[in-house]
């Protein structure tokens, strides 16, 4: 099966610092990865689409200078929350689309990362 | 406009009974996919079942089946023989087709979620 690993699973950082979250496809190539944010008991909201070798596409209302996304290889995308504030505390989860598969279930989620900014 | 709607914020079911979680969707794309995920308190998204818009048969995966009513744009999840471990949040999601935009294919739009509680 396809596996997506997300790290760290939990992180606490001080207000004003930056924190990086990694999303890695372990056994397949992912041309495209997606980053979602989720508040407690709420739905997942897409933040951005990360494409290997090009700039990420951000959803409306998402600050691209605050949430930096890098997709340097076909197996790794990173989300960096810069100058974090307590309101950035949330659950962040990535998904990866398996390359060359256009039908069926081709989307695989990481385990998610709980970010707490103190 | 809301593309995926789950109208049941919470559902309760007795262990061993069946339960239906509702999901309606809206799209003008003829090619789309519908997903159901289970999210326990740990946060991971567990894939349950997938239905493609061109699939003739309703999807089934073990105790999970998807009641796909294309004309009504509904994709309800049926869980048979509920177990205590089924207690979790459940999300319906839609992926629009290739025509919706090349490199963003794979982007999912989620419903609001339904919290399912299974009673012993």
């Amino acid at each position: 099966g396809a596996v997506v690993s997300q790290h760290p699973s939990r992180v606490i950082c001080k207000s004003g610092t930056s924190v990086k979250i990694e999303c890695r496809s372990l056994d397949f190539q992912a041309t495209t990865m997606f980053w979602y944010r989720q508040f407690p008991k709420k739905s997942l909201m897409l933040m951005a689409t990360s494409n290997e070798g090009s700039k990420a596409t951000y959803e409306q209302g998402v600050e691209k200078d605050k949430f930096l996304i890098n997709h340097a290889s076909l197996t790794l995308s990173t989300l960096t929350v810069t100058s974090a504030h307590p309101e950035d505390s949330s659950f962040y989860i990535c998904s990866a689309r398996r390359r060359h598969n256009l039908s069926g279930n081709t989307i695989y989620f990481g385990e998610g990362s709980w970010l707490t900014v103190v | 406009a809301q593309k995926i709607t789950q109208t049941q914020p919470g559902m309760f079911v007795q262990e061993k009974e069946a339960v239906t979680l509702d999901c309606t969707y809206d799209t003008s794309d003829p090619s789309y996919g519908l997903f159901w995920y289970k999210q326990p308190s740990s946060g991971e998204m567990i894939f349950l079942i997938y239905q493609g818009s061109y699939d003739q048969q309703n999807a089934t995966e073990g105790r999970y089946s998807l009641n796909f009513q294309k004309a009504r744009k509904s994709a309800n999840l049926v869980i048979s023989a509920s177990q205590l471990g089924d207690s979790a949040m459940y999300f319906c999601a839609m992926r629009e087709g290739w025509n919706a935009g090349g490199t963003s294919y794979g982007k999912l739009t989620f419903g609001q979620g339904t919290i399912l509680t299974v009673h012993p």
Side-chain angles (χ1 to χ4, degrees):
Chain A
V3 178
V4 175
S5 175
Q6 192 170 335
H7 178 81
S9 57
R10 290 183 183 273
V11 58
I12 300 172
C13 71
K14 288 186 177 179
S15 192
T17 62
S18 296
V19 61
K20 181 187 287 187
I21 301 170
E22 292 188 347
C23 180
R24 198 179 294 269
S25 56
L26 298 185
D27 53 357
F28 67 97
Q29 292 182 330
T31 312
T32 306
M33 291 184 174
F34 303 90
W35 287 95
Y36 296 84
R37 181 175 183 176
Q38 184 184 26
F39 291 106
K41 298 202 188 315
K42 297 294 184 184
S43 186
L44 279 72
M45 301 301 295
L46 180 68
M47 298 175 66
T49 302
S50 169
N51 296 302
E52 185 266 336
S54 65
K55 289 184 180 180
T57 304
Y58 289 82
E59 295 298 302
Q60 194 172 12
V62 177
E63 298 177 62
K64 58 184 178 184
D65 293 332
K66 179 160 189 65
F67 299 100
L68 300 179
I69 290 170
N70 183 275
H71 194 152
S73 76
L74 283 171
T75 60
L76 175 64
S77 175
T78 59
L79 167 68
T80 302
V81 182
T82 63
S83 187
H85 289 285
E87 57 263 33
D88 298 325
S89 298
S90 188
F91 183 66
Y92 295 87
I93 190 165
C94 69
S95 70
R97 176 171 72 83
R98 191 168 193 153
R99 197 180 184 207
H100 299 310
N101 278 32
L102 297 182
S103 62
N105 177 34
T106 61
I107 301 163
Y108 304 94
F109 279 88
E111 306 95 328
S113 300
W114 297 91
L115 170 64
T116 303
V117 184
V118 298
Chain B
Q2 186 73 42
K3 289 191 171 185
I4 293 279
T5 303
Q6 293 178 254
T7 58
Q8 306 155 316
M11 286 287 285
F12 295 88
V13 66
Q14 206 72 25
E15 194 179 7
K16 298 181 186 174
E17 294 193 347
V19 62
T20 298
L21 305 184
D22 294 342
C23 174
T24 57
Y25 61 92
D26 185 32
T27 181
S28 57
D29 197 317
S31 173
Y32 55 90
L34 297 159
F35 300 74
W36 276 94
Y37 291 91
K38 172 184 178 182
Q39 188 180 43
S41 56
S42 59
E44 60 183 313
M45 293 292 282
I46 301 170
F47 166 75
L48 297 178
I49 198 164
Y50 168 82
Q51 180 84 42
S53 58
Y54 294 120
D55 293 343
Q56 296 293 317
Q57 307 271 8
N58 283 352
T60 60
E61 290 283 353
R63 294 187 298 112
Y64 305 106
S65 60
L66 199 152
N67 185 1
F68 184 42
Q69 304 278 324
K70 195 170 182 177
R72 299 172 66 179
K73 293 188 176 178
S74 75
N76 298 341
L77 176 72
V78 180
I79 305 174
S80 63
S82 298
Q83 301 172 354
L84 295 178
D86 293 335
S87 293
M89 189 131 177
Y90 288 79
F91 287 100
C92 179
M94 178 172 66
R95 175 196 66 200
E96 290 174 289
W98 188 253
N99 293 333
T103 53
S104 68
Y105 181 78
K107 177 171 76 170
L108 294 179
T109 302
F110 287 86
Q112 304 93 320
T114 297
I115 298 175
L116 176 66
T117 305
V118 181
H119 288 305

